[in-house]
Structure formats: structure tokens, C-alpha cells
Amino acid sequence: DISSPYKGFEFFMKGISHLKKNYGIQLKVVLVTNKKVINYLIPDVDVELAYPKDDEGYLKILDSLSVACVPSSSDNSPNVIAETLARGVVVVASNSGGVGEIPSALGLQTFEYGDLEGFCESMILGLTRNRLTLEQQSSLKKMVSEETHARKLLKIYKSII
């Protein structure tokens, strides 16, 4: 839901405009959402709205991306981050709350929410990288695997017994 004030869409629009104006980078922005978006225009930027109908459609959209951006002002670790990284797509994320936790652990650069230059630098690096390395993909699998999750839960349960 990009209309949520915590998702950072207003900042994202400013950041993309800044990236185009000051760095001359031509982008096509794909907004993936399940909500109808009214104010999605970014001056002089090609914007496509994508409303996936099912999981297969969602994965097809993720696979088409060069980079995904999660500019949340405050959030935990949104599912979209792990879902996108699992497809091998680089994620550019803010370092607010837990948003940038997984990307940082994979060696991807994060940015301070509200910092336009940091946003632009992170986007340029993300666009340059485009895809996760095999090492990053392997690390991601270890971080978010069912086995790793089960070990963490066991450790928590044992600590309170």
C-alpha cells in the first residue's frame, strides 16, 4: 500500500525527480500495488502501475525489475524485501527501522530516509549492480530459511524456560 504514510512514496517521488534532474538518468518506474493510486505522477518520468492478479503475476513483475526500492520512513522488515531479493533483484532500501536490515547484511547500500543525495547514490549503485551475486543469494537463503528461523525460535524459547 504505497499510499501509507510510512511507505515513503512522497520521498520516493522527490528522489526519482532529483535523480533525473541532477544525474540525467532515464528511468521507467514500476509501482507495484494492490491499491488504486491516484497521485502517482513523477514529472518527466515514465511511470507504470502494476496490479498483479496472483502470485505468478507478482513474480513476473519482480523478475522484470532492474532494481527495487523500498523507501519507507519507518517499518519493520517488509516482506517485499525478502521476496524481491529471493528473485535475485537488488533492493535499495532506507535504513529506517528494520527496512534495510537484510539488504545491509548482503552488502547492499542503504540510505537515510529524507537524504536525496544518499537515495540517488544508492539507486545508482543498485542500477549498476542489477542482480545479486551467487554469494549474496546463498547468504540470503541462509538468513531467511525455515531452518534458520526455527533455530532462532528455539533459542528464544530456551531462554525463557
Side-chain angles (χ1 to χ4, degrees):
D1 180 8
I2 60 177
S3 63
S4 165
Y6 303 112
K7 297 299 180 187
F9 185 60
E10 292 287 326
F11 172 70
F12 175 76
M13 290 192 313
K14 287 178 191 171
I16 293 296
S17 293
H18 189 77
L19 191 59
K20 181 170 182 356
K21 180 181 175 186
N22 295 300
Y23 294 87
I25 295 176
Q26 292 290 353
L27 297 170
K28 177 180 181 179
V29 173
V30 179
L31 300 176
V32 184
T33 181
N34 60 358
K35 307 267 184 185
K36 293 293 178 190
V37 180
I38 297 169
N39 185 17
Y40 65 86
L41 295 176
I42 303 171
D44 301 319
V45 174
D46 183 15
V47 178
E48 175 187 328
L49 293 175
Y51 302 100
K53 293 177 176 48
D54 54 27
D55 290 344
E56 187 176 314
Y58 178 61
L59 295 177
K60 188 174 181 179
I61 292 166
L62 293 183
D63 289 342
S64 75
L65 301 176
S66 298
V67 65
C69 182
V70 182
S72 300
S73 62
S74 62
D75 210 339
N76 292 321
S77 184
N79 290 340
V80 69
I81 291 175
E83 293 163 355
T84 305
L85 290 169
R87 302 305 288 183
V89 178
V90 168
V91 171
V92 172
S94 70
N95 60 7
S96 300
V99 178
E101 191 174 290
I102 294 174
S104 289
L106 295 174
L108 300 175
Q109 185 172 341
T110 61
F111 61 89
E112 188 77 32
Y113 178 83
D115 176 6
L116 287 176
E117 291 303 321
F119 171 85
C120 290
E121 288 173 21
S122 295
M123 285 295 290
I124 291 167
L125 278 173
L127 289 164
T128 302
R129 280 191 164 163
N130 195 11
R131 291 286 184 214
L132 295 181
T133 64
L134 292 176
E135 184 179 318
Q136 287 170 318
Q137 289 176 21
S138 177
S139 293
L140 176 67
K141 285 178 185 175
K142 289 176 188 167
M143 273 189 264
V144 298
S145 73
E146 291 172 352
E147 183 179 333
T148 301
H149 185 66
R151 280 192 197 132
K152 288 178 183 177
L153 287 175
L154 279 173
K155 186 176 178 181
I156 291 169
Y157 293 147
K158 285 180 180 179
S159 73
I160 58 176
I161 293 178

